């Protein structure tokens, strides 16, 4: 289950109004300067609170609270190895933000006891939960905000910004956001929507090429789903391949994945000989400078009757200002990450995150592939099955 994105909560009535004029003022007109200012205030507040959640994750404060249960600032500080006064400020802020609860709020500051509710602990700390949201805290704050000065210069210089510039936080956040999709949804999607490929992959000797595999979570999920298939994960980013190899090494030896899964740094043309039943490109084609060339390489890698499976953002067929929150999210990620990454090499298709179905069809046709759009009912993702033209 993907998290539901909502517009920022409206500001409190009267914010910015002199005390004498407060009370119950009429709501500002939707197109007024005041309404727009209040909306940006809400966005700014949400951004600042997201940063404080990032601190809580990076400093281990949420983990400390889960271990201690209801605790004072001094107890949380001792558990996390931090300064008690700084921790108290964070605890009080998190309580005002609705992340934590507090017993006896009127008690002296030193004796107030703060609690991380179990539902919030699951969303922030349990990577196996379908509601895990921590990656959405880490990715924009630790990955995108950290490169904003470089991004400003890239825009001014009319050039892109390489994926490697975004660092570990972006890699980890992106992998975490898709982890639940790969583990909880992808197996069912393939069995329901590609039953012929599913059957072929259950025959010994079958193989899958996972192009732009990133941290390898998709590759490992496919290996678990198809225990008779060999998996070949490829990515141009060497740091991502190191992450993938670490994830493989951390897998339970009883699963036997190390005998069937291989990772290497390289492009789509380096996934071994042709003959893969399935060639996957998950949440990555829109980032690529030369998507048609990549699809041509994927076509060459397919076995006769095989398929290329794309997972890409579920966006509208055409642009509209009244876009849903999911598309607003994709656009923001595109401005801050995907489009600059795609333009970091030249020449570039300059696709961006909001890659609409017609664009996929055009890229596939140029690469000699037919396209079937698969709506899986997910708010953030859709699949495309590509097959070789006769």
């Amino acid at each position: 289950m993907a998290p539901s994105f909502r517009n920022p909560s409206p500001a409190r009535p009267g914010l910015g109004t002199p005390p004498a004029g407060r009370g119950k003022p009429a709501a500002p007109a939707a197109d007024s300067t005041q309404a727009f200012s209040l909306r940006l205030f809400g966005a700014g507040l949400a951004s600042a609170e997201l940063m404080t959640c990032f601190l809580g994750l990076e400093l281990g404060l949420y983990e400390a609270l889960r271990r201690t249960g209801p605790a004072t600032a001094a107890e949380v500080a001792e558990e996390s190895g931090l300064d008690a006064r700084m921790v108290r400020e964070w605890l009080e802020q998190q309580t005002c933000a609705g992340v934590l609860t507090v017993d006896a709020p009127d008690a002296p500051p030193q004796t107030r006891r703060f609690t991380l509710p179990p539902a919030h602990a699951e969303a922030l700390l349990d990577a196996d939960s379908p509601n895990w949201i921590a990656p959405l805290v880490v990715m924009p704050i630790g990955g995108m905000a950290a490169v904003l000065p470089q991004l400003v210069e890239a825009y001014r210089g009319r050039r892109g910004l390489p994926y490697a510039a975004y660092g570990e936080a972006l890699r980890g956040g992106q992998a975490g956001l898709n982890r639940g999709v790969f583990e909880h949804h992808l197996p069912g999607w393939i069995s329901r929507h590609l039953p012929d490929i599913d059957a072929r992959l259950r025959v010994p000797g079958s193989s899958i090429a996972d192009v732009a595999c990133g941290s390898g979570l998709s590759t490992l999920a496919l290996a678990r789903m198809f225990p008779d298939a060999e998996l070949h994960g490829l990515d141009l980013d060497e740091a991502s391949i190191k992450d993938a190899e670490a994830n493989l090494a951390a897998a339970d030896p009883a699963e036997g994945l190390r005998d069937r899964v291989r990772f290497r740094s390289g492009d789509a043309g380096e996934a071994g000989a042709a003959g893969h039943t399935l060639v996957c490109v998950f949440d990555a084609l829109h980032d690529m400078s030369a998507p048609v060339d990549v699809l041509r390489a994927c076509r060459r890698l397919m076995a006769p009757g095989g398929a290329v499976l794309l997972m890409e953002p579920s966006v509208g067929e055409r642009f509209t200002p009244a876009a849903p929150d999911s598309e607003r999210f994709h656009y923001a990620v595109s401005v801050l990450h995907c489009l600059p990454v795609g333009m970091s090499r030249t020449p570039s298709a300059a696709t961006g995150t909001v890659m609409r179905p017609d664009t996929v069809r055009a890229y596939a046709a140029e690469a000699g592939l037919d396209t079937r759009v698969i709506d899986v009912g997910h708010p953030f993702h859709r699949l495309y099955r590509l097959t070789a033209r006769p």
Side-chain angles (χ1 to χ4, degrees), residues 38 93 113 141 156 162 165 182 217 252 256 270 285 315 388:
L38 290 175
Q93 177 274 323
R113 307 189 77 80
I141 302 303
R156 284 177 174 160
F182 297 143
L217 299 183
D252 186 346
E270 299 178 20
L285 191 71
V315 297

Side-chain angles (χ1 to χ4, degrees), residues 212-388:
C213 66
S215 299
L217 299 183
S218 54
T219 318
L220 298 178
L222 289 166
R224 293 184 176 105
M225 182 180 178
F226 300 109
D228 292 310
E230 293 186 356
L231 280 295
H232 302 266
L234 286 160
D235 202 288
L236 285 173
D237 183 58
E238 294 184 2
S240 293
I241 289 297
K242 289 181 181 178
D243 290 344
E245 290 171 340
N247 287 328
L248 175 60
D252 186 346
E255 294 182 296
L257 300 181
R258 298 173 200 175
D259 296 330
R260 299 185 293 112
V261 179
R262 297 288 181 271
F263 291 110
R264 63 179 297 180
S265 176
D267 61 26
E270 299 178 20
H276 298 287
T277 303
L278 185 65
V279 181
C280 302
V281 187
F282 293 137
D283 202 22
L285 191 71
H286 62 266
D287 290 331
M288 296 178 177
S289 301
V292 174
D293 289 346
V294 171
L295 291 179
R296 286 194 183 106
C298 291
R299 185 180 187 276
R300 290 193 295 270
L301 291 172
M302 277 194 301
V308 175
L309 182 62
L310 307 181
M311 185 179 81
E312 284 294 332
S314 180
V315 297
E317 293 282 348
R318 59 191 59 83
F319 170 77
T320 173
D325 285 358
S326 57
E327 192 157 319
R328 289 176 57 192
F329 173 76
H330 289 312
Y331 261 122
V333 170
S334 190
V335 169
L336 296 171
H337 176 257
C338 296
L339 183 59
V341 167
M343 295 179 67
S344 64
R345 295 186 175 200
T346 54
S348 174
T351 307
T353 317
V354 189
M355 184 168 67
R356 304 193 189 277
D358 278 349
T359 301
V360 177
R361 293 186 187 100
Y363 288 166
E366 192 174 347
L369 296 161
D370 288 323
T371 302
R372 178 162 71 90
V373 181
I374 303 172
D375 183 359
V376 294
H378 194 279
F380 288 92
H381 303 288
R382 67 161 54 96
L383 300 182
Y384 298 85
R385 176 176 177 160
L386 311 182
T387 52

Side-chain angles (χ1 to χ4, degrees), residues 151-199:
L151 200 56
V152 169
E153 293 307 312
Y155 269 85
R156 284 177 174 160
R158 301 184 182 186
R159 65 180 189 277
L161 192 64
Y163 181 81
Y166 290 81
E168 182 180 357
L170 190 286
R171 293 199 316 275
Q174 187 174 33
L177 277 179
N178 286 334
R179 175 176 176 168
V181 173
F182 297 143
E183 294 183 356
H184 299 291
H185 297 294
L186 184 62
W189 289 346
I190 292 177
S191 64
R192 286 195 301 274
H193 298 290
L194 289 81
D196 57 321
I197 298 297
D198 182 284

